[in-house]
Amino acid sequence: KAAKIQLIIEKATLVFKRKGFVDVTMQDIVDECGISRGGLYQYFGTTAEVFENVMVNNTTDDDMFSKRFILAFIESRAINIM
């Protein structure tokens, strides 16, 4: 399970870097990971949830303020994005 989650996060990181948060779909992540939609939804329910995990896994403790700010912004916009 942990290995699958890590794979999803690593591949999703590439997708978010390439397309930006707003343009990424769950299908984009599925395609990049080479897994089924059900396989992705088993671990993550939305692109915002995947992005949150990408942010948490790709920032250092020194970035804590920035990470919290970005995640709060995403959460405040998630209703409009989804």
Side-chain angles (χ1 to χ4, degrees), residues 1-13 29-30 32-44 50 53-54 57:
K1 178 179 177 176
K4 179 70 73 144
I5 291 171
Q6 190 59 40
L7 168 77
I8 293 168
I9 291 169
E10 288 172 6
K11 297 293 187 173
T13 299
I29 297 168
V30 163
E32 186 75 24
C33 293
I35 61 174
S36 68
R37 288 180 69 83
L40 178 58
Y41 281 103
Q42 180 178 355
Y43 301 105
F44 301 102
V50 177
N53 280 272
V54 165
N57 284 278

Side-chain angles (χ1 to χ4, degrees), residues 6 19 23 25 28 31 42 44 46 52 56 58 61 66 69 75 79:
Q6 190 59 40
K19 295 185 79 169
D23 292 328
T25 65
D28 293 328
D31 293 343
Q42 180 178 355
F44 301 102
T46 64
E52 180 178 349
V56 167
N58 286 292
D61 289 339
S66 298
F69 177 81
E75 288 174 5
I79 293 172

